[in-house]
Amino acid sequence: MATRRISIMGATGSIGKSALDVVRHANANAGQTFQIVALAAGSDAEGLAAQAIAFNAEIAVISDESQLPTLKTLLAGTDIEAAAGETAIAEAAARPVERMLAAIVGAAGLKSTISAIRAGNDVAIANKESIVCGGKLILSEARRRGVSILPVDSEHSAIFQCLGDGRSLEKLTITASGGPFLTSSLDQMRMASPKQAAAHPNWSMGVKNSIDSATLMNKALEFIEAGFLFDVEGERLDVIVHPQSIIHGMAHFTDGSVIAQLGAPDMKTPISYALGWPDRVPTVVDRLDLATLGRLDFENVDETRFPAIRLARQAYAHGVQATTVLNCANESAVSAFIAGHCGFLDISWIVEETLNRYFSGNMHGIACDTLEEIALLDRFSREMARDVLEKTQRRTGG
Ligand code: NAD
Ligand code: MG
């Protein structure tokens, strides 16, 4: 494979760091596979500068503008450019590369992804929230520019690897580990602290993604992500609990064949696939040993304790406006939970109530065809969610 120029938005996070591990190993063992162009992060100037120096990036961009002087000081004496702010991140994402890895957390990542696509850069996309809000826009812009969108989320990478040319597809299945509360009672879940909710049994992830995994909202977002990415209606999308996280996704065909992708639960595999596609890049992850593993278990989702999947089906059936509301209400509710302003079960309740208000309200006129429209609906959704939260606090006396 010729050296491939890549940029990473969200470089200092869990996905960003794993991606740089993949790059380091490939470059050390398979010749100069990747060259880093731009790295961007939220507010960790020290972490970003260290990465930019270690990988000799062209430019490092920090979202938090107050961190720019620190970033500049840390990069003094190198020829690495430093910049700050949302617009600078979008500009960095547009620098010509073969692949831009979208690994910012939350809907905040949408703008740089669209910017990369408009510049003609292929996008390896981990940032599921941006697909849930901007799926229509991302895919239509990508089609228009002839840009490839390569899924990084492990379930979607699995499906991408199983799908072939997509003909004769009957349905898709994504697996869910079930998270830390798979066997907990509703009362235990009600009392759960952010620390307990963020302790995932199989995967090591950023805190927002970990809490989403505990509510199964992560799987709800992935259900919607799969719908948009593979253009499949909700009736042909299944979620199944598989506690070992060995099978990540499956494609079912009209002749009864089911093709599944298996691997150790380590994001380095799907990251490596998305950065290397159509080639495979040698990657350090545990090798699968099925005999030692002994068994793989499966069960249906308990929708009483985990209403998120039902909400995702409902929102996806309504379209991208409702999925945007679901995502932004969830981001707002997760922040409130982390800050101690609501309980664990309130997260899904706030999302459901916000969606109900949206369905019965007067915001249906807002489309999600442009970044501006999505940003507007994002803001309204967070305001509605905050209002619902206040109602929750009155309800619980919190
Ligand atoms: P994380 O919290 O560990 O990292 C987020 C990164 O985004 C950090 O570099 C942070 O500095 C940066 N960031 C945050 N807000 C920003 C902003 N406004 N502007 C610019 N940068 C900003 O999150 P993560 O676990 O690495 O997840 C990243 C994305 O990948 C999420 O959308 C998540 O859903 C998705 N994802 C993660 C995993 C996983 O295993 N961690 C798996 C699949 C998909
Ligand atoms: Mg996933």
Side-chain angles (χ1 to χ4, degrees), residues 128 152-156 175 203 205 209 213 218-219 222 225 267:
K128 66 192 77 177
V152 171
D153 220 340
S154 54
E155 298 73 9
H156 307 75
T175 59
W203 297 94
M205 306 174 282
N209 212 45
S213 297
N218 181 53
K219 215 46 58 178
E222 290 178 354
E225 180 185 10
M267 286 307 295

Side-chain angles (χ1 to χ4, degrees), residues 93-114:
R95 290 198 176 197
V97 286
E98 274 79 45
R99 212 139 293 174
M100 188 284 260
L101 174 62
I104 291 176
V105 61
L110 179 60
K111 197 169 168 183
S112 49
T113 292
I114 293 295

Side-chain angles (χ1 to χ4, degrees), residues 11-23:
T12 56
S14 167
I15 292 288
K17 285 181 185 155
S18 293
L20 288 171
D21 284 346
V22 168
V23 167

Side-chain angles (χ1 to χ4, degrees), residues 316-355:
Y316 184 64
H318 274 81
V320 69
Q321 290 92 338
T323 63
T324 300
V325 174
L326 175 143
N327 176 72
C328 299
N330 180 59
E331 286 191 31
S332 183
V334 170
S335 300
F337 173 64
I338 293 171
H341 296 153
C342 71
F344 178 76
L345 292 180
D346 294 328
I347 300 172
S348 297
W349 188 79
I350 290 168
V351 174
E352 180 155 18
E353 278 296 303
T354 308
L355 268 175

Side-chain angles (χ1 to χ4, degrees), residues 132 217 219-221 223-224 228 233-235 237 239 303 307-327 348-360 364:
V132 171
M217 197 57 80
K219 215 46 58 178
L221 298 174
F223 173 96
I224 297 164
F228 284 130
E233 42 306 359
E235 295 71 31
L237 287 171
V239 176
E303 294 199 356
I309 307 296
R310 172 175 56 77
L311 300 178
R313 279 191 190 284
Q314 193 187 2
Y316 184 64
H318 274 81
V320 69
Q321 290 92 338
T323 63
T324 300
V325 174
L326 175 143
N327 176 72
S348 297
W349 188 79
I350 290 168
V351 174
E352 180 155 18
E353 278 296 303
T354 308
L355 268 175
N356 286 342
R357 286 194 189 190
Y358 169 75
F359 289 137
S360 60
H364 296 262

